[in-house]
C-alpha cells in the first residue's frame, strides 16, 4: 500500500470545454453524464490528484471508462467524474496465462494482444466495451458456459482509494477487498488496473444466423430443446430484432423483423476443432432445416471473430433497456416471451434477447468474489432507441409488460453487467452480502467519497 502526497495538482474540466466533453462521453446517449467537473486520467498520478482535489472540494466522485454502463448507474448530475484511460497497454504473460490490463482498455485490445499466444479472455460481445466495468459487474461472455462469470477470472485489482492510497487486492493481499470488488457494486475507489486469467483458444466457430420473425416460434422451440443438453464449449443467444435501415445494418435485416441465433463454440487446440465443428452442426443443422437463413455468418475463425458475431453498434446510441434472470423456460415461458416481444406483440423493442446460461455459470469457485455464479438458465435483455414513434415512455411501459409476462420464470435476480437502466429493479446481492461489502467500504472509504458510485441495491449506505 502506497500513499501519494506528492501528486501534481489536478486539472479538472468544466462544462463547455473539449476536455469536459471527452471525459463525460458515454455510449448510451439516453443516459448522459453531467457532473460539476470531469477529468480524463491517463496515469495513476493523475487519478491520485483528481481524488485529492475532489476530497478537498467536498465533491463526490464517480468513475467510468468507456461509458457503456451510464444507464445502469445512478445519474451523474454533480460532483467529479473521473474517466480512466491509463496508458501502458495490455501485457500478456503467456506462461502464466495472465493479462495485465490498465483501466480504460477495451476488450478488443485485450483480444488482439492475447490471440497471438493462442489465448483468450472471457470478454463480452463488443470490442469497444471497457474491461473494468464489465469484469466487476460479473461479465457474461460467449465463452461463459466454459469459464463462468468473467469476474471469476480476475487475479488482482489495483485501485486508488479515497485516502490517496494505491492498493493491490488479490488472493495474496487484502483478500476481503478482492472479494468485495468482484461484484460488490463499486464505491471502493478508482480502479487503475486488473490482472485476469486467460485460457487457451486456438479457433472458434462463431457467427449469427437470421430468419424472418414469422419463424420465431419454431426457431425458439428448436433452440430451447438443443440448449437443454448443450455442451459447455458452446454459449449462444436468441434475439428478436427490429433493426432500422441505418449504415452498418445489412439491408436484408432492416427489411423487417427477424429472429437470430448467435454465439460461439471454442476449440482450445487444433485437435479440438473437429469437435467444435460437430457441436456447431448439432446446433445449426436443425435450425437451417426449418428454412434457409436470410443471412448466415457462422464460420470457423480466430478468437477475434467472437467480438464481431453479435454485430453490436460501434458508436454511441440512445437506448432504454431492461434485464431479468430467468429459470428454465418451458413451452409456456417461450410463448410468454414471444407474446411480449414477438412479431405480433406490438413491442417497441429493437432487441429482445435470451442469453443461454447454465454450464460453468452455475458453479462458484472457492476463491470467487461476492458475485461468482448464477443459477439462472437464461438472461433476458430488451432494449430500444427512442426514435420516431418509439418514445422513452413507451419503452418504460413495455418493460412492465415484459416483466408481467415473464414473472413466473423471473428469478428476481439481475447481473450488474447486463443492467441497462438504473430505474429498473436490480437485485444481485442478498442482505448479508450487502452488509459484508459495506463493511469493506467503511474501511476503504470511511467518509463516503465514492458512495454515489455504488450500483443501486448494492449498499445500505445513504
Amino acid at each position: 500500500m502506497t500513499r501519494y502526497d506528492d501528486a501534481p495538482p489536478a486539472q479538472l474540466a468544466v462544462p463547455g470545454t473539449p476536455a469536459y466533453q471527452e471525459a463525460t462521453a458515454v455510449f448510451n446517449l439516453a443516459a448522459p453524464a453531467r457532473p460539476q467537473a470531469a477529468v480524463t486520467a491517463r496515469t495513476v498520478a493523475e487519478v491520485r490528484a483528481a481524488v485529492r482535489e475532489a476530497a478537498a472540494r467536498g465533491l463526490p466522485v464517480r468513475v467510468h471508462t468507456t461509458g457503456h454502463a451510464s444507464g445502469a448507474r445512478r445519474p451523474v448530475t454533480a460532483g467529479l467524474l473521473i474517466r480512466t484511460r491509463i496508458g501502458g497497454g495490455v501485457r500478456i504473460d503467456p506462461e502464466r496465462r495472465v493479462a495485465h490490463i490498465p483501466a480504460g482498455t477495451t476488450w478488443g485490445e485485450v483480444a488482439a494482444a492475447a490471440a497471438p499466444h493462442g489465448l483468450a479472455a472471457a470478454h463480452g460481445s463488443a470490442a469497444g466495451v471497457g474491461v473494468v466495468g464489465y469484469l466487476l459487474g460479473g461479465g457474461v461472455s460467449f465463452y461463459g458456459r466454459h469459464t463462468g462469470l468473467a469476474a471469476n477470472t480476475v487475479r488482482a485489482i489495483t485501485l486508488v482509494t479515497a485516502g490517496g492510497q494505491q492498493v493491490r487486492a488479490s488472493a495474496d493481499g487484502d483478500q476481503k477487498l478482492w472479494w468485495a470488488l468482484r461484484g460488490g457494486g463499486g464505491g471502493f475507489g478508482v480502479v487503475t488496473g486488473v490482472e485476469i486469467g486467460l485460457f487457451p483458444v486456438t479457433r472458434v466457430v462463431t457467427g449469427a444466423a437470421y430468419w424472418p420473425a414469422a419463424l420465431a416460434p419454431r426457431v425458439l422451440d428448436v433452440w430451447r430443446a438443443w440448449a437443454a443438453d448443450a455442451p459447455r464449449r458452446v454459449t449462444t443467444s436468441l434475439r428478436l430484432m427490429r433493426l432500422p435501415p441505418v449504415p452498418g445494418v445489412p439491408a436484408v435485416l432492416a427489411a423487417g423483423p427477424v429472429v437470430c441465433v448467435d454465439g460461439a463454440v471454442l476449440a482450445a487446440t487444433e485437435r479440438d476443432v473437429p469437435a467444435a465443428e460437430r457441436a456447431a452442426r448439432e446446433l445449426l443443422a436443425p435450425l437451417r432445416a426449418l428454412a434457409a437463413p436470410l443471412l448466415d455468418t457462422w464460420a470457423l475463425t480466430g478468437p477475434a471473430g467472437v467480438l464481431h458475431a453479435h454485430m453490436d453498434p460501434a458508436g454511441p446510441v440512445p437506448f432504454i433497456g431492461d434485464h431479468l434472470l430467468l429459470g428454465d423456460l418451458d413451452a409456456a415461458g417461450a410463448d410468454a416471451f414471444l407474446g411480449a416481444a414477438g412479431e405480433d406483440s406490438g413491442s417497441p423493442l429493437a432487441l429482445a434477447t435470451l442469453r443461454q446460461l447454465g454450464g460453468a455459470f452455475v458453479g462458484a469457485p472457492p476463491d470467487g468474489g461476492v458475485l461468482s455464479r448464477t443459477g439462472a438458465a437464461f438472461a433476458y435483455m430488451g432494449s430500444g432507441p427512442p426514435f420516431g414513434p418509439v418514445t422513452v415512455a413507451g419503452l418504460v411501459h413495455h418493460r412492465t409488460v415484459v416483466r408481467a409476462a415473464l414473472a413466473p420464470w423471473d428469478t428476481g435476480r439481475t447481473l450488474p453487467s447486463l443492467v441497462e437502466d438504473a430505474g429498473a429493479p436490480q437485485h444481485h446481492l442478498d442482505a448479508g452480502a450487502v452488509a459484508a461489502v459495506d463493511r469493506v467500504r467503511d474501511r476503504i472509504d470511511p467518509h463516503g467519497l465514492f458512495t454515489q458510485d455504488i450500483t443501486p441495491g448494492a449498499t445500505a449506505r445513504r
Side-chain angles (χ1 to χ4, degrees):
M1 180 182 295
T2 307
R3 184 179 180 88
Y4 298 93
D5 295 318
D6 58 346
Q11 302 297 316
L12 305 188
V14 296
T17 64
Y20 181 93
Q21 183 175 359
E22 177 190 6
T24 60
V26 298
F27 184 81
N28 184 356
L29 299 179
R34 299 189 178 100
Q36 180 178 340
V39 64
T40 300
R42 293 180 169 83
T43 67
V44 174
E46 289 177 356
V47 172
R48 301 194 314 265
V51 170
R52 182 177 63 183
E53 187 71 15
R57 296 192 191 184
L59 297 175
V61 177
R62 305 294 299 276
V63 186
H64 74 168
T65 55
T66 60
H68 277 75
S70 64
R73 310 300 289 272
R74 291 185 175 92
V76 180
T77 57
L80 172 65
L81 177 64
I82 300 176
R83 184 187 201 96
T84 49
R85 286 188 174 172
I86 308 300
V90 180
R91 293 185 291 112
I92 304 295
D93 183 337
E95 298 300 320
R96 295 175 56 228
R97 293 179 180 171
V98 169
H100 304 264
I101 307 169
T105 303
T106 65
W107 281 117
E109 296 171 86
V110 176
H117 303 284
L119 299 171
H123 55 68
S125 59
V129 170
V131 169
V132 170
Y134 168 91
L135 285 173
L136 302 189
V140 177
S141 172
F142 267 146
Y143 297 123
R145 286 172 46 79
H146 172 72
T147 64
L149 290 176
N152 294 335
T153 68
V154 176
R155 302 281 187 84
I157 301 168
T158 56
L159 73 158
V160 172
T161 69
Q165 297 167 322
Q166 186 178 35
V167 176
R168 176 182 169 88
S170 69
D172 300 319
D174 206 333
Q175 294 180 2
K176 289 185 178 180
L177 178 59
W178 184 50
W179 173 82
L181 280 164
R182 292 174 293 159
F188 303 96
V190 183
V191 173
T192 57
V194 295
E195 295 178 12
I196 63 170
L198 305 172
F199 51 94
V201 177
T202 299
R203 303 280 276 169
V204 181
V205 184
T206 187
Y210 304 82
W211 293 266
L215 289 174
R218 296 169 65 190
V219 171
L220 178 53
D221 283 347
V222 171
W223 180 71
R224 282 193 310 110
W226 166 85
D229 299 307
R232 288 192 174 202
R233 69 172 70 228
V234 190
T235 307
T236 62
S237 66
L238 181 142
R239 296 187 290 166
L240 303 175
M241 309 172 74
R242 297 171 178 83
L243 301 178
V246 296
V249 175
V252 68
L253 302 185
V258 297
V259 58
C260 165
V261 173
D262 57 4
V265 189
L266 67 88
T269 68
E270 289 292 343
R271 187 177 302 173
D272 298 317
V273 169
E277 291 180 314
R278 183 169 58 253
R281 285 195 300 270
E282 291 171 353
L283 162 66
L284 295 169
L287 293 168
R288 289 167 174 160
L290 296 175
L294 298 170
L295 178 66
D296 192 340
T297 66
W298 281 89
L300 180 66
T301 184
V306 176
L307 288 166
H308 305 290
H310 215 51
M311 294 204 313
D312 289 328
V317 292
F319 59 91
I320 305 296
D322 197 18
H323 157 58
L324 305 168
L325 287 176
L326 306 174
D328 287 320
L329 281 181
D330 53 14
D335 289 344
F337 172 68
L338 293 173
E343 182 181 21
D344 299 322
S345 66
S347 169
L349 299 175
L351 297 171
T353 301
L354 292 174
R355 174 66 67 90
Q356 177 192 14
L357 300 176
F361 285 117
V362 175
D367 60 350
V370 63
L371 175 63
S372 61
R373 65 176 297 275
T374 174
F378 298 97
Y380 163 80
M381 294 86 75
S383 64
F387 289 153
V390 178
T391 64
V392 171
L395 289 164
V396 171
H397 170 72
H398 194 72
R399 179 166 66 204
T400 65
V401 173
V402 173
R403 284 179 171 265
L406 295 178
W409 300 272
D410 184 3
T411 66
R413 296 272 179 162
T414 54
L415 286 171
S417 63
L418 297 180
V419 172
E420 297 288 4
D421 189 340
Q426 299 185 46
H427 177 64
H428 75 281
L429 300 176
D430 59 30
V434 169
V437 171
D438 273 345
R439 286 194 291 273
V440 178
R441 290 192 183 100
D442 290 342
R443 171 170 62 88
I444 296 296
D445 182 20
H447 302 296
L449 189 67
F450 293 95
T451 294
Q452 293 302 309
D453 207 41
I454 303 172
T455 296
T459 184
R461 282 184 164 193
R462 294 290 184 265

